[in-house]
Amino acid sequence: DAGITQSPRYKITETGRQVTLMCHQTWSHSYMFWYRQDLGHGLRLIYYSAAADITDKGEVPDGYVVSRSKTENFPLTLESATRSQTSVYFCASSDWQGAFLDTQYFGPGTRLTVL
Amino acid sequence: RKEVEQDPGPFNVPEGATVAFNCTYSNSASQSFFWYRQDCRKEPKLLMSVYSSGNEDGRFTAQLNRASQYISLLIRDSKLSDSATYLCVVNTPSGGYQKVTFGTGTKLQVIP
């Protein structure tokens, strides 16, 4: 039971490069989320997806692109990385429990450093 | 007013103490509520779902007060291992979808 996985776990890149962070879940959950967490701060939602081919912006979407062609995958791309995007990135998934959205399950995170 | 608000703390309490956190939410249409625990930039992990009737799991008790729009988390007999940041999460219907909002977290430090 793999659950939710993220890759890579650690990434160092340079300013201006394109970077893609991968997220994969094995539960067929409808919802998937990307968050970033800067040192000493709380989680901030970047994008979320309610189902395959349905995505929407969160609190801090600028500089990021997402896609969801398959239910189980939700990649996050930094089109042109900037130093301000140095952060820990968490992916999460969730599904309906009756009429309510149930708990989120988080991946282990990707620690991204942009030099 | 923020959609979800938590006292950031830190709460410094001695071992064995009882400590309580509150989390207020602004949208009366919010439907489901959760408490998560996060250790030092690791992934948040579910601590408890919060039901209107209240629920208890060992030393932890969570309650929902819809009239006053807050959820609470009570930790009894605090252990050193309880030191962490506690996040509340509120899910709210929004345009046919669900909006998930995290509080910024309350930091707990249990002192020997």
Side-chain angles (χ1 to χ4, degrees):
Chain A
D1 182 3
I4 183 164
T5 56
Q6 293 183 235
S7 61
R9 294 291 313 279
Y10 302 89
K11 177 73 176 178
I12 300 174
T13 192
E14 294 177 338
T15 302
R17 291 191 181 268
Q18 184 180 81
V19 177
T20 296
L21 309 184
M22 304 302 293
C23 180
H24 175 78
Q25 50 109 352
T26 60
W27 297 302
S28 298
H29 283 172
S30 300
Y31 276 75
M32 294 187 76
F33 308 83
W34 275 107
Y35 297 89
R36 62 177 287 176
Q37 187 172 35
D38 303 326
L39 192 63
H41 291 84
L43 293 166
R44 291 189 291 171
L45 181 65
I46 305 171
Y47 271 95
Y48 73 97
S49 169
D53 297 321
I54 300 175
T55 62
D56 203 355
K57 296 177 181 179
E59 183 185 353
V60 288
D62 293 342
Y64 302 95
V65 174
V66 294
S67 62
R68 192 155 175 224
S69 57
K70 292 184 177 181
T71 299
E72 61 267 28
N73 296 323
F74 191 38
L76 176 74
T77 298
L78 288 67
E79 295 182 294
S80 178
T82 65
R83 288 182 181 157
S84 65
Q85 292 177 311
T86 293
S87 190
V88 178
Y89 291 84
F90 290 107
C91 178
S93 72
S94 180
D95 209 357
W96 294 100
Q97 181 69 29
F100 306 119
L101 194 62
D102 203 3
T103 185
Q104 291 188 53
Y105 295 92
F106 283 79
T110 294
R111 280 162 173 73
L112 176 67
T113 301
V114 183
L115 301 176
Chain B
R1 182 182 175 188
K2 287 186 177 179
E3 293 181 65
V4 176
E5 290 196 77
Q6 291 183 252
D7 183 341
F11 284 62
N12 297 313
V13 302
E15 273 186 288
T18 295
V19 61
F21 309 135
N22 280 345
C23 169
T24 60
Y25 61 95
S26 62
N27 193 326
S28 60
S30 296
Q31 290 180 326
S32 49
F33 309 86
F34 307 89
W35 282 104
Y36 283 75
R37 170 193 170 128
Q38 186 177 27
D39 295 286
C40 199
R41 295 190 96 199
K42 293 187 177 179
E43 72 272 25
K45 294 186 177 178
L46 178 70
L47 183 63
M48 301 180 80
S49 302
V50 188
Y51 307 116
S52 56
S53 57
N55 51 313
E56 186 174 319
D57 183 4
R59 298 181 293 108
F60 299 85
T61 300
Q63 292 199 312
L64 166 64
N65 186 316
R66 284 195 183 273
S68 300
Q69 294 183 197
Y70 73 88
I71 61 173
S72 63
L73 177 67
L74 181 76
I75 305 175
R76 291 179 296 276
D77 189 21
S78 298
K79 311 290 185 190
L80 295 176
S81 57
D82 294 334
S83 297
T85 296
Y86 291 84
L87 305 166
C88 68
V89 180
V90 176
N91 293 347
T92 308
S94 176
Y97 301 111
Q98 290 271 317
K99 182 175 182 181
V100 178
T101 307
F102 273 79
T104 53
T106 297
K107 187 171 183 179
L108 172 66
Q109 185 69 46
V110 181
I111 303 164

